Each structure stands twice: as structure tokens, then as C-alpha cells.
Amino acid sequence: MAVQTVVTSTDSSAVDLGPAAALSCRECGHRVPLGPVFACEECFGPLEIAYDFSAYDTEELRKRIEAGPANIWRYAPLLPVPADVAEKPNLNPGWTKLVQADHLAGELGVEPGKLFVKDDSGNPTHSFKDRVVAQALEAARAFGFTTLSCSSTGNLAGAVGAAAARAGLRSCVFIPHDLEQGKVVMAAIYGGELVGIEGNYDDVNRFCSELIGDPAGEGWGFVNVNLRPYYAEGSKTLAYEICEQLGWRLPDQIVVPIASGSQLTKVDKGLQELIRLGLVEDRPYRIFGAQAKGCSPVSTAFKAGHDVVRPQKPDTIAKSLAIGNPADGPYVLDIARRTGGAVEDVTDEQVVEAIKLLARTEGIFAETAGGVTVGVTRKLIEDGVLDPSLTTVVLNTGDGLKTLDAVAGTGLTATIRPTLDSFREAGLA
Ligand SMILES: *Cc1c(COP(=O)(O)O)cnc(C)c1O
């Protein structure tokens, strides 16, 4: 990947992104000023946001968060956004429900009161991606970009289209040409340009990296490429919300889906920050990664004990997770191993079963990615890897209405004439 030099219409020293102090390399620690860059100029490692939280008093910060709006901006003091972010036009995602899932717990053999589903289908464009796009939008504004773009497995395209529409920016997004109809419509409806690429997500991503280095992409903020350090921080809000909703307590176990692996690494970063800030008690927690078998490069590496993630060619109904060459794969392996977690995968059949199980036990209709996390949770419990006596949070990151094909065949119980006789004949009385 080419190193992007800082090209910005504003002086980066004047950029106000709240507590964000600099970009720092995750490999060598080299620091550079905030800008639309994503790779280290020294070692090509990925850059992430470094903060200055030194001025915060724990109790004051807790009160400030609790008094904040019922969306991700209650955590603005911990995000790369200006203090007045909530007043600007954006979609205000987050503060989604943490559902105590006792019926599902019963089916999975988890103790009552111990299993929770964090249901991110309740976000404005019905996936967790609104969280990350909201951060990237602030970075795009700060750096003076006029077009918002991305490479997407579907949900991100919709989230970018909607956020750009709300902010009054142009959007032009790129997806594999063969995605689910629900994802395509959701990405197109907000009026931006939607381009299907003949290839899989990894081809789309490579194309976008080329476009960034070309004059044709000038002035474009690619939320998950040149704005990736900012974008990625949005996933921390999942960790913040889960802990606050549990009464400022760490869960013991979290099951997180893996596409690029960004979400999982930032959920961990969010938990670490809460511990460091004193907002939660420092106790061990375990992070589990979930993939579909048809695209399981990280779980394959985990099980083989490898540190390197070998790319795969995806073939699964869980298209939102179908990244064959996950950028954050090695970091996911580190986190799963450091926290005593694991990375596991389930077949497409198990994904569909899990979607139906969650719907019939808790009234939550998950997209395929949610089928992956619930299916993996079930498998990890059966295999004795996940402890059913501990507090466990399973992420549902998207809405089943976008992946209806996955549950094709689900439909009418019976078709009857409008008479009581007909109703009785159908055996429904
Ligand atoms: C994008 C996405 C994820 C996770 O993506 P990462 O690249 O691993 O951060 C999970 N679930 C859904 C539904 C998604 O769209």
C-alpha cells in the first residue's frame, strides 16, 4: 500500500478534533500530526489516534458522560471529534439497546441474567457502521474534503450515503457488484453515486487505494482508507456503551464479528481506555472473534497457532464479513490470545439457524453477521471454550431486513379461505 502524504486544504495544526493529539504508528510508535494519512512513513505500519486524556478527573468525566445525549456523542471527550460535534448535522447514531437475552440464554445453557445482545440494528442505517462513519465525517470536515467515499461490503456504503446526505456533502461509494438487494437499495437511496465493481471486496479496496493516489480522487475522504484512523475509533463506542449499560462494569466475555478486524481491535481499545480512566474496575475480560467458515482467514490462523493471516477467497452468505485479506487480522489474533479468548467460525447453515434462533427467542432479526456471532457463541459454549456462568455480550451488528435472501423459505404457515372451517382444517385452532 502506498504511503499517503498529507494533502489538506487546511493547516493541520489548526485542526480541532477534541482530545485527539496525534497519529501514532501501531508498529513502531512513530508520531505524526493529525491529517488524512493512514500508514507510517517510517515502517508502513497502520496509524491510530493517540489522545491526551491527562486533564480528566474520573468522577467529573463520568458525570459529564451520563449527562450527555443518548447517542455516541455522550463519549465525545474520548473521541477524535470537536466538542461541539453534537450540534452539527449528522445522524447521531449509537446508544443502542443492550438486551438481556434470557430466552436465548436458556437455549444455549447460559445462566439467566448473564447473556446480553448488543443490538446495533437500531442505528440510523441499521448497522454498526453509522458509528464509524460519524467519526470519519468529522475528520472529513476538519480536513476540508468535499466528497465522502468508501470501499464497502454493503453496510458501509449505506452509512456513508446517509451521513453525506445529512451533512450536505457529495458521496461516491464502491461495492462488489453482486451484493444483496437490500444493501444495494440502502446504499443508493440517499442519492449519492453508487458504483459496483466487478470483483470481491478485496478488489474494491485495492481499487480505492489506487484512486486515492490519483488526481481523480483528489478532495475525496475515503472513510475506511485515508480517514481510517478516525473511522476506526467509532467502534470504541460499542465498548463504552456496553460497560455503561452494565452499570459501569466490564463484561466477562464479548463475542465480536470480524470483517477487517477493526471493530474487534477497537472494542478492546475502548475497554482498555475505560480501565485506564478508572471508569470501570480493572478485571480480566475475554474477547472472542466470529467469522463465517466461507471467509475465515483469522480463525484459521488462530486455530493453527499462526501469527500471520493467510488471505482467502470469500464464499459465504455473510457478505458483510466477507473480507478475505483482513487488515487488522494479526491484531485480532494478539487480542484473542492476550485476553484468553478465541476466534471461531460457523458454516452458512449454522448462520441461518442462529438468525432464526435469535429471532424466535428474543424478537431480534439479525443480518447474517449477527447469525455469525450467535452461531459462534453457541459453538464456543458447546465446545467448553466460552464460560456459560459468566456475563457475556454478543454483538448483533446489522438488520435482517437487509439480508432477506439468507432466510428465503421463511414465510406463510398456511394459506386458508377466510372461514373458520378452513382455519380448523389447517390445524391451527
Ligand atoms: C463492517 C461490519 C462488521 C465489522 O467490520 P470490521 O471491518 O471487522 O470492523 C461487522 N458487522 C457488520 C454487519 C458490518 O457491516
Side-chain angles (χ1 to χ4, degrees):
M1 208 183 285
V3 179
Q4 178 75 356
T5 50
V6 182
V7 186
T8 149
S9 55
T10 53
D11 173 5
S12 74
S13 64
V15 165
D16 172 17
L17 288 170
L23 292 168
S24 119
C25 176
R26 279 154 85 183
E27 289 299 321
C28 75
H30 178 69
R31 279 164 84 107
V32 292
L34 297 172
V37 286
F38 57 95
C40 178
E41 59 198 1
E42 299 288 323
C43 75
F44 296 93
L47 298 174
E48 72 173 346
I49 312 282
Y51 295 92
D52 181 6
F53 293 152
S54 59
Y56 294 148
D57 168 82
T58 303
E59 282 318 308
E60 271 171 31
L61 179 59
R62 190 196 313 269
K63 282 198 193 111
R64 185 166 155 198
I65 291 170
E66 288 174 349
N71 57 52
I72 52 172
W73 304 132
R74 64 201 284 108
Y75 307 107
L78 306 178
L79 295 169
V81 295
D84 65 350
V85 62
E87 289 148 43
K88 300 187 197 176
N90 71 76
L91 297 175
N92 297 326
W95 203 243
T96 56
K97 284 181 275 187
L98 183 70
V99 179
Q100 185 177 316
D102 285 349
H103 294 132
L104 180 63
E107 292 264 352
L108 299 183
V110 175
E111 279 179 26
K114 297 284 187 172
L115 185 64
F116 297 84
V117 176
K118 178 62 172 168
D119 187 11
D120 250 13
S121 66
N123 275 313
T125 71
H126 304 269
S127 90
F128 110 96
K129 288 295 197 300
D130 294 317
R131 296 177 184 273
V132 282
V133 170
Q135 319 302 317
L137 172 61
E138 288 314 310
R141 281 169 162 148
F143 301 135
F145 289 122
T146 49
T147 298
L148 219 51
S149 185
C150 66
S151 56
S152 171
T153 55
N155 283 317
L156 184 57
V160 167
R166 176 88 182 114
L169 296 177
R170 177 190 172 207
S171 73
C172 179
V173 300
F174 301 92
I175 57 173
H177 68 109
D178 61 349
L179 288 185
E180 304 97 329
Q181 187 65 10
K183 300 263 171 74
V184 173
V185 172
M186 276 294 281
I189 197 70
Y190 304 106
E193 286 133 358
L194 173 68
V195 181
I197 302 262
E198 293 169 3
N200 61 27
Y201 173 81
D202 298 286
D203 298 314
V204 178
N205 202 34
R206 207 172 317 115
F207 167 79
C208 286
S209 297
E210 272 182 49
L211 184 50
I212 284 173
D214 190 272
E218 223 175 281
W220 289 36
F222 286 80
V223 302
N224 57 337
V225 190
N226 57 349
L227 299 177
R228 190 172 182 83
Y230 309 89
Y231 159 98
E233 296 296 291
S235 291
K236 294 192 307 180
T237 60
L238 276 164
Y240 301 155
E241 287 180 20
I242 288 167
C243 291
E244 188 178 353
Q245 288 169 323
L246 288 173
W248 292 111
R249 213 160 42 84
L250 291 169
D252 300 310
Q253 306 176 121
I254 308 194
V255 185
V256 185
I258 300 168
S260 72
S262 173
Q263 176 175 211
L264 187 146
T265 64
K266 299 307 174 188
V267 164
D268 178 62
K269 188 179 183 190
L271 298 178
Q272 291 291 327
E273 286 175 352
L274 294 186
I275 292 170
R276 209 152 14 92
L277 288 160
L279 288 166
V280 295
E281 193 192 330
D282 187 2
R283 297 192 299 128
Y285 61 85
R286 301 160 78 196
I287 299 191
F288 298 85
Q291 296 205 291
K293 193 168 277 316
C295 182
S296 51
V298 189
S299 72
T300 302
F302 181 85
K303 291 176 195 176
H306 294 161
D307 296 329
V308 177
V309 174
R310 200 172 301 147
Q312 288 180 7
K313 206 169 149 62
D315 180 15
T316 168
I317 58 168
K319 295 189 181 193
S320 57
L321 304 182
I323 298 184
N325 189 11
D328 284 290
Y331 299 107
V332 169
L333 292 173
D334 283 349
I335 290 166
R337 289 177 179 139
R338 165 168 59 74
T339 65
V343 187
E344 187 51 273
D345 55 77
V346 282
T347 65
D348 283 359
E349 291 71 29
Q350 290 169 318
V351 170
V352 173
E353 275 171 33
I355 290 173
K356 292 179 177 172
L357 174 65
L358 179 62
R360 103 179 126 72
T361 52
E362 301 298 340
I364 295 170
F365 184 18
E367 78 142 82
T368 45
V372 168
T373 50
V374 172
V376 160
T377 302
R378 171 186 239 171
K379 187 168 178 182
L380 290 170
I381 291 170
E382 283 168 6
D383 293 348
V385 178
L386 200 136
D387 186 337
S389 70
L390 298 177
T391 300
T392 303
V393 177
V394 181
L395 300 192
N396 171 40
T397 47
D399 192 324
L401 287 174
K402 291 200 213 179
T403 58
L404 287 174
D405 282 353
V407 288
T410 310
L412 300 176
T413 304
T415 303
I416 62 170
R417 295 183 304 283
T419 66
L420 288 173
D421 280 347
S422 183
F423 179 68
R424 286 197 190 90
E425 276 164 29
L428 296 167

